[in-house]
Amino acid sequence: MRWADAETGRVSHLSRQIRLNLWVYAALTVMGLIRVHFAWPENRQWAMIPLGLALLLLVGGHLLDWESLSRKRWMTKAVIASYSSALVAQLLFCLPDPDPELMFPVGAVMITVAAATTIGSRVALVLGVSSVVAYLVLLLAQPSLDLPYSTSIAAAVAGVAGLCVLAANNRRHHLAQRRAAERRTVALMENGSDAVLAVGDDQVRYASISTGRILGHDAESLSIADLAEMTHPDDVERVTEFLNQLRAAGPGATDRIESRSRAAGGAWLDVEVTATNHLDDPDIQAIILSVRDVSTQNALRAELTRQAFEDPVTGLPNRALLLDRIVTAVRRHARTSGRVSLLLIDLDDFKKINDTRGHMAGDEFLRVVAQRMASAVRPSDTLARLGGDEFAVFVEELDDIGLHTLAERLLAEIKTPVRLGTSDLIGTASIGIATLKSDQSADLDAAHELMRDADLAMYAAKAGGRDRIAVFDPSMYTAAVKEAEGRTDLERGLANNEFVVNYQPIVDLPSGKLVGVEALARWQHPERGLVAPDAFIAQAERTGLIVALGAHILRVACFEVAGWQRDIPGAENVRVSINLSARQFQEKDLVDMVRSALTDSGIRPDLVVLEITESLLMQDVDATVITLHELRDLGVRIAIDDFGTGYSSLSYLRRFPIDILKIDKAFIDGITIDSDDATLAEAVVGLGKALRLSTVAEGIEHIDQQSMLSDLGVTYGQGYLFAKPGTADEIAEMVREHYGPEAAQ
C-alpha cells in the first residue's frame, strides 16, 4: 500500500525536521561566531575555532541519508538528546558572554520551537521548563541583575515555550484524527467490493489492500507493467485508448469501461473499471481507478439471456430469439428486395409419446428430432423450437422449389426411427410454409404476419391428413378470419341468451301417442333469424363453446319440460331427451352440471334421457363407463344416438349402462324399399330386446315406415310424420292435445 503509510509519513517528517534542526543549530553557531568576534575579548577569540568546526560539521550533516537514518528506532532519542545538548551548549556559551540575558533566550526559544515541531508537546514542555530554569541560573550567576528586564525576558521565554507546547499538542491531535480517518478509509477499501488504484504516468502511486483479494495481485508490489500484463490481450488496445481519452478529457473527467483481468491463478475475470482524472491535483497526480469483479454478475446475465432466448430441452433458439431474427431479416430484405420464408413444423400425435412413455422419453424424442432437423438445414438458417411439439425453420433467399425440397428433407429426418429404450418410434409431421415478399411492410407486424401465415398453412396440412406439406394461401387467412368472427358471434350469442330450445315429439309407435320430446338447439340470431344447428354446432365443438351451450340447453329443457309436467294434467310422465357432445363428456364437472340442472328445475331424473353418440362411447372406454355410471346414479337414463353408424362391438356395448338405442335416420329412409336396411333395423330391434333396451327410430316421414317399424317391434319413433321441431309453446300445445282434458274426452 502506498501514500498514506503512517511509517513512511513519520520517517519523511523526521528526516525533514532533522535537516531543519541542523540549519537551526548552524544559525545559532553563526550567531555565536559573530558574538565571539565582536563582543568577546581577544584572549577568548580562540573560541571561534571550535565554533567554526561545529559549523562545518552541521553544514556537512545535510549530506547524510537522513531518510534511512530516520527509520532507525534510536533516531528519535538521538534527536531529543541533541536538543538537550544544544540547550546545555547554549547555556555554557552564554556564561562568559557579556550579554547572556539577551543571547540565551534567543537560542532557547529556537531550540524549543524546533523540538515542538519535530518531536511533540512533551519534549517541548520539558525543554521550555529547562530553558526557564537555566535562564534563572544564568541570571543569578551575573554580578548585576536588572530584575524587571530579566523577568520580562523570562516570561517571554516561558510564553513562547507554552505556545510551542500548545501548537505541538494541537498538531498531535490533528495528526491523530487524520490517521484515524486514514485507518477508517483503508478499512473500508480493504473490505469493500472494489479495488482502488491510483495510477500515475509511470507508476502505481497507490493500491488498496483489497487489490490482492479482488485481483489476486500483491498491492505492495503492483506496477504499471503488472497492470498491462493482467489485462487481456484482446482488451489492451481498447483500455489504452480509454485511458488516453480520459487524460485528454481534463481534470475531474470520469468514465467507465469493462475489460478482462487475469487473476493470480490464471483465470480471466470480468472487471468493471470506473476511472477519474486527478492528474492535475498536486496531492494525487494520478488517475483513480475503482475496479470491481463483475464475473458473477456477467455469468448470471449471460445465463438469464440464454434462458430467455434458448429452449431448455433442445438447446435451440426459442420463439423470442426467432422473432428477433425474423424482424432483423425482414428489415434488411426490405432494403435489398429479398425474401424471407418460414417453415412451421408440428409433430403429429406427439402427445401420445408423453402419455404412453412419459415426459422424459418425450423430451429425449424431441432432442433427437431437433438434432436431425438441424443437420437438414443450411448453416445460415435458424431452426427454433416454439414450444411443445412445434418447431420452425427461418430461411432467407430460398425459392419455392428450394423451400419444398427443404420441407421434404425435414419430413424424412422426422420419419427416421428414434430408439427409445428397447423400441423404435417413428414420427411424422405437418409443415406449413409462408413467404414474405419484398414488397410487403418491414416492421414487427410483418414478422408476426409471417408466423401467422405459416401457422395457418401448418393447420391446413394437418387438416389434409397430416404427414404432409402445405403452402400458405390467402384463402386460409380468410377462412381463419371467418372462424374468428364466428367464434366472437357465438360468444356474443351465448352472453345475450340468443340460443333457444326447440322440441321434436317422440311417440309410441303402435298408438302414435306423444311420450316425450327431444331438445334441439336453435340460434335466434338478431340479423340472420332462426339458425339451424348445422350452422353453428361444428364451430361450437371446435372452439369449446359447446360446453357452455350444452349446459344452457340442458337447463332450459329441464326447466321448460318440468313446467309442462306441472301445468298440464296427465303430462307428469313426459320425458325429455338431451344430446351430450363429445366435448361436454370430457368435462370433469359434467356430473355436477347435470345434477344442478335436475335439482334446480325439479324435474324427475328418470324422465331425463341423455343422448350420446356411438363413436363417443369408444374414445376412452374405461373412463366412459365410469362417467355413465355416475350419471345413472343421478337417476337419468342413457341413450345411444345414431346407433349403427359407429363401430361398437357387442362385448363393449354390454359394459355400458344404456337404456335406449336410437336407430339412425339413414337406415329408416330405405327400410321399405331396401331389404338390407330392413334387416339392419330388425337386427337392432333384436339386439335391443336381447339387452332389454328400448328402441327409438329417427326420421320417420311416411306411414308405411311407421307400420313396418311397429311390426318389427320398434318401441318409439320420431320424425316429420308426427311433427316437425317446434318452439316450447308449440310443443306445449301439442302436449295438451295428447294429455289435457280434451284428450281425455
Side-chain angles (χ1 to χ4, degrees):
M1 192 172 74
R2 300 167 175 83
W3 274 359
D5 190 321
E7 178 63 18
T8 301
R10 184 193 66 79
V11 169
S12 178
H13 171 73
L14 184 59
S15 64
R16 287 196 307 271
Q17 289 302 117
I18 288 175
R19 287 186 172 87
L20 180 61
N21 290 340
L22 291 175
W23 287 117
V24 170
Y25 296 155
L28 289 175
T29 303
V30 171
M31 290 174 60
L33 287 170
I34 294 173
R35 288 295 297 172
V36 170
H37 178 72
F38 290 103
W40 286 23
E42 290 184 3
N43 60 347
R44 293 183 179 179
Q45 292 289 320
W46 56 268
M48 294 182 64
I49 295 175
L51 289 175
L53 293 174
L55 181 61
L56 291 176
L57 290 174
L58 291 172
V59 173
H62 285 83
L63 300 178
L64 297 177
D65 185 5
W66 293 109
E67 194 78 25
S68 299
L69 291 173
S70 296
R71 296 184 182 275
K72 306 296 183 180
R73 294 184 177 181
W74 49 264
M75 182 53 68
T76 301
K77 294 180 180 180
V79 172
I80 295 174
S82 73
Y83 294 137
S84 301
S85 301
L87 187 61
V88 171
Q90 181 71 6
L91 176 63
L92 295 175
F93 177 83
C94 290
L95 284 174
D97 192 88
D99 301 309
E101 72 278 5
L102 179 62
M103 287 301 297
F104 181 78
V106 173
V109 167
M110 292 177 67
I111 293 169
T112 302
V113 170
T117 57
T118 303
I119 303 300
S121 58
R122 292 181 181 178
V123 174
L125 179 61
V126 172
L127 287 175
V129 172
S130 300
S131 298
V132 173
V133 172
Y135 185 62
L136 293 176
V137 172
L138 184 64
L139 293 178
L140 292 174
Q142 296 299 318
S144 61
L145 179 64
D146 187 346
L147 186 60
Y149 176 73
S150 300
T151 303
S152 298
I153 292 178
V157 172
V160 170
L163 290 174
C164 289
V165 170
L166 290 175
N169 193 55
N170 288 338
R171 179 178 177 275
R172 181 174 63 82
H173 284 296
H174 174 70
L175 287 175
Q177 291 175 353
R178 188 178 71 179
R179 287 170 180 168
E182 289 173 353
R183 286 194 300 272
R184 287 193 294 268
T185 301
V186 169
L188 288 173
M189 289 191 292
E190 179 180 356
N191 295 284
S193 59
D194 295 359
V196 179
L197 300 93
V199 180
D201 290 332
D202 56 356
Q203 66 175 327
V204 177
R205 302 177 63 84
Y206 172 80
S208 64
I209 296 176
S210 58
T211 301
R213 173 172 51 82
I214 296 171
L215 299 180
H217 289 265
D218 184 17
E220 293 291 343
S221 60
L222 195 64
S223 65
I224 295 290
D226 293 332
L227 292 178
E229 185 179 351
M230 290 163 55
T231 304
H232 195 283
D234 295 342
D235 296 340
V236 170
E237 183 177 350
R238 186 166 55 89
V239 171
T240 302
E241 182 181 357
F242 166 78
L243 293 175
N244 290 337
Q245 290 177 351
L246 192 69
R247 289 189 180 94
T254 299
D255 204 350
R256 181 177 299 174
I257 190 175
E258 281 198 17
S259 66
R260 288 162 291 180
S261 176
R262 188 192 300 275
W268 290 107
L269 305 175
D270 293 331
V271 294
E272 181 185 74
V273 182
T274 302
T276 304
N277 186 344
H278 287 287
L279 290 169
D280 290 349
D281 190 325
D283 295 326
I284 301 177
Q285 297 181 353
I287 292 177
I288 304 300
L289 304 178
S290 179
V291 184
R292 175 174 297 179
D293 180 5
V294 293
S295 301
T296 302
Q297 295 93 312
N298 286 356
L300 178 60
R301 187 183 302 116
E303 176 61 20
L304 292 175
T305 301
R306 186 192 66 78
Q307 292 179 9
F309 294 105
E310 182 179 295
D311 174 58
V313 175
T314 63
L316 296 175
N318 62 8
R319 181 184 294 270
L321 182 55
L322 174 69
L323 183 60
D324 180 72
R325 291 184 180 179
I326 292 176
V327 171
T328 302
V330 165
R331 289 171 177 168
R332 182 175 65 253
H333 283 282
R335 299 189 298 269
T336 60
S337 299
R339 64 183 243 162
V340 295
S341 303
L342 185 68
L343 289 77
L344 198 62
I345 307 155
D346 187 87
L347 303 182
D348 298 329
D349 297 323
F350 174 73
K351 184 176 182 296
K352 291 182 179 178
I353 298 178
N354 281 335
D355 292 343
T356 59
R357 300 297 187 92
H359 287 278
M360 292 185 63
D363 289 347
E364 180 61 23
F365 182 82
L366 290 174
R367 280 190 286 268
V368 173
V369 170
Q371 292 171 0
R372 291 175 177 174
M373 286 194 293
S375 67
V377 301
R378 302 176 303 176
S380 60
D381 300 336
T382 298
L383 172 64
R385 183 186 177 215
L386 305 185
D389 56 0
E390 278 194 348
F391 294 83
V393 178
F394 175 63
V395 299
E396 302 179 48
E397 299 298 347
L398 201 60
D399 58 22
D400 293 338
I401 297 176
L403 289 171
H404 198 273
T405 302
L406 173 59
E408 291 285 1
R409 288 203 307 270
L410 292 170
L411 285 181
E413 292 293 342
I414 294 170
K415 290 179 183 178
T416 304
V418 176
R419 189 74 172 178
L420 290 180
T422 59
S423 59
D424 292 333
L425 294 181
I426 299 177
T428 61
S430 301
I431 300 180
I433 303 175
T435 298
L436 191 67
K437 304 289 178 52
S438 59
D439 58 348
Q440 291 181 251
S441 59
D443 54 11
L444 183 61
D445 290 339
H448 283 296
E449 288 175 8
L450 180 64
M451 295 189 72
R452 179 205 65 197
D453 293 347
D455 196 51
L456 291 172
M458 182 271 291
Y459 277 108
K462 274 196 179 302
R466 305 187 179 191
D467 188 24
R468 62 187 61 217
I469 302 165
V471 179
F472 173 76
D473 184 88
S475 62
M476 297 177 183
Y477 176 69
T478 302
V481 171
K482 185 177 180 180
E483 179 80 9
E485 291 175 347
R487 178 189 176 93
T488 301
D489 208 15
L490 276 172
E491 291 174 340
R492 179 196 54 76
L494 279 169
N496 296 338
N497 290 320
E498 295 174 2
F499 289 92
V500 298
V501 179
N502 280 8
Y503 300 92
Q504 185 171 34
I506 300 174
V507 302
D508 178 73
L509 272 187
S511 64
K513 186 174 181 64
L514 186 146
V515 295
V517 293
E518 180 179 0
L520 304 171
R522 297 292 186 268
W523 187 359
Q524 191 63 54
H525 198 281
E527 298 175 358
R528 296 155 58 191
L530 191 65
V531 180
D534 293 345
F536 61 84
I537 289 296
Q539 186 172 43
E541 285 274 7
R542 290 193 302 271
T543 59
L545 293 174
I546 192 67
V547 176
L549 177 59
H552 172 72
I553 298 302
L554 174 67
R555 291 186 66 83
V556 171
C558 287
F559 273 88
E560 289 184 341
V561 174
W564 302 343
Q565 294 168 350
R566 288 191 304 270
D567 300 339
I568 302 174
E572 296 84 359
N573 294 319
V574 172
R575 70 188 187 207
V576 58
S577 297
I578 305 164
N579 288 283
L580 290 181
S581 72
R583 192 68 174 267
Q584 281 180 281
F585 210 75
Q586 296 170 359
E587 291 295 307
K588 294 181 179 179
D589 61 349
L590 172 63
V591 176
D592 292 334
M593 183 265 292
V594 174
R595 181 187 294 110
S596 175
L598 296 175
T599 303
D600 294 345
S601 65
I603 194 171
R604 280 168 45 194
D606 62 301
L607 297 178
V608 175
V609 179
L610 299 180
E611 298 185 2
I612 58 176
T613 62
E614 187 178 3
S615 57
L616 185 153
L617 289 174
M618 305 307 297
Q619 289 184 1
D620 187 344
V621 174
D622 293 335
T624 301
V625 169
I626 293 173
T627 303
L628 289 178
H629 276 291
E630 290 177 348
L631 291 172
R632 280 288 300 273
D633 290 342
L634 297 178
V636 301
R637 293 195 284 179
I638 306 297
I640 297 182
D641 195 14
D642 301 332
F643 186 75
T645 61
Y647 49 84
S648 59
S649 67
L650 181 58
S651 60
Y652 276 116
L653 198 59
R654 295 180 59 185
R655 294 182 57 187
F656 300 118
I658 300 168
D659 301 286
I660 301 170
L661 296 178
K662 297 190 72 174
I663 306 173
D664 188 74
K665 182 180 183 299
F667 303 115
I668 304 302
D669 289 342
I671 194 172
T672 58
I673 58 175
D674 190 330
S675 60
D676 291 338
D677 287 346
T679 301
L680 182 56
E682 184 177 5
V684 172
V685 173
L687 178 61
K689 290 179 179 179
L691 297 176
R692 297 183 180 86
L693 304 177
S694 299
T695 51
V696 178
E698 299 180 283
I700 301 175
E701 297 181 355
H702 306 288
I703 189 66
D704 53 346
Q705 292 174 336
Q706 176 190 7
S707 176
M708 186 172 184
L709 289 168
S710 179
D711 292 341
L712 290 175
V714 177
T715 315
Y716 307 105
Q718 63 183 94
Y720 283 6
L721 175 64
F722 311 109
K724 293 182 179 181
T727 64
D729 291 339
E730 293 171 344
I731 301 303
E733 187 62 31
M734 183 178 295
V735 173
R736 288 190 179 91
E737 293 176 1
H738 281 264
Y739 291 96
E742 296 180 358
Q745 294 178 2

